[in-house]
Amino acid sequence: MFFLIIGLGSMGKRRIRSLKALNMEKIIGFDPRVDRCEEVREEYIVDTYTDFNEAMENNPDVLIISTPPDLHMHYAHIAADAGKHFFTEAGVVDNGMSELIGKLEHKGIVGVPSCTNRFYQGPKHIRNLLDQGRIGQPLSFTYHCGQYLPDWHPWEDYRSFYVSNKETGACREIVPFELVWLAWVFGDVVSVSCMKERTGILENNIDDIYQILMKFQCGALGHLMVDVIARPAVKLMRIMGTEGIIEWVNTQNIIRVSKVPDYSWETIDLSIGTVESSYINPEEPYIEEMNCFIDAINGVGDYGYTFGDDSKILSILYSAENSSETHRHVVID
């Protein structure tokens, strides 16, 4: 396969590494920024272009869209119209998504959005533990995911790129990123109540903390707190079931399980994985995700997450924001 990476920021570079780890060497890149093109050309030995049309003249088979979120649909429609397989990073903007879903029904190509968290060890283990009935029926959870925004990309000013824009703000972006796996584990969300705020700690105009209460179709209640002000970074979860408790402490790479009747704790160690310099998250989930996408193209597997699924996740985000703005509990259709 011949891949074109659109957007050569941190995620575009990560996707190049993932493809190379899978022995996919036929790769080119596009970014309007000359400095990024030069960096990728030198570090990854990949031909790069600052002109998109010139890059497309190479007739790639697959487009990997790693642009800011508000550009995902633009390039996804280009890919669909050209009959190219494509993959987009996780997004927060659904403008044009329904039309894209319609196109994919008739194009005979694979076009999917990212769902990376489903490939992380923590969520995978939690899902397996719940499927095994290790703590009985899940009743409720509380989950805090936070990281100080200036630490995201320490090599660049956080005020200068999309994470500081209102529509594509960092905190707003992470909420659906986490909801993707929470809905995978607990099922559909049927109602939400939310409070979101701009604390004023950061030098931008985004809401930097979301507190969301959710009711799932299975009856479980969940509390999700996402912020971009936590120092140090935190990812901590506790799930209460009818027969025990599951705790996930991602910063310690462990899951703990306590089960009745003796209430003793079992500790499951999670592999740290391979962490690239200046990155926080390991490479392995992204490699596995890209391999799953390639398998879907080759017809030997199901990627398992569609733009229809993504639209449902974004509807939870929008309902939560509506709840915060109207000070009302919102039922999701």
Side-chain angles (χ1 to χ4, degrees), residues 246-309:
I246 295 172
E247 290 183 346
W248 175 32
V249 188
N250 186 64
T251 50
Q252 297 178 20
N253 297 298
I254 61 169
I255 287 176
R256 301 172 71 233
V257 185
S258 179
K259 184 174 173 62
V260 296
D262 60 358
Y263 301 117
S264 61
W265 287 93
E266 172 194 356
T267 298
I268 301 170
D269 292 317
L270 306 177
S271 169
I272 297 173
T274 306
V275 182
E276 189 79 6
S277 176
S278 298
Y279 287 73
I280 292 176
N281 295 315
E283 298 287 287
E284 284 79 4
Y286 297 87
I287 295 170
E288 186 179 350
E289 178 179 45
M290 196 53 53
N291 188 55
C292 192
F293 170 53
I294 292 170
D295 281 349
I297 292 173
N298 287 327
V300 295
D302 180 13
Y303 180 73
Y305 189 69
T306 68
F307 280 104
D309 298 324

Side-chain angles (χ1 to χ4, degrees), residues 8-15 17 36 153 155-156 279:
L8 301 176
S10 63
M11 283 308 305
K13 296 183 185 76
R14 193 192 282 276
R15 298 304 178 183
R17 294 195 299 272
R36 284 182 175 174
H153 292 180
W155 57 86
E156 62 183 331
Y279 287 73

Side-chain angles (χ1 to χ4, degrees), residues 88-103:
T88 71
E89 303 297 347
V92 294
V93 180
D94 67 353
N95 294 339
M97 189 177 288
S98 60
E99 294 84 356
L100 181 66
I101 293 170
K103 287 181 181 179

Side-chain angles (χ1 to χ4, degrees), residues 171-199:
C171 201
R172 188 172 195 251
E173 179 186 38
I174 294 300
V175 171
F177 194 69
E178 298 297 335
L179 288 173
V180 163
W181 81 266
L182 291 173
W184 181 57
V185 169
F186 295 98
D188 290 341
V189 174
V190 295
S191 58
V192 296
S193 185
C194 172
M195 293 182 69
K196 62 183 179 70
E197 291 286 347
R198 175 180 178 266
T199 64

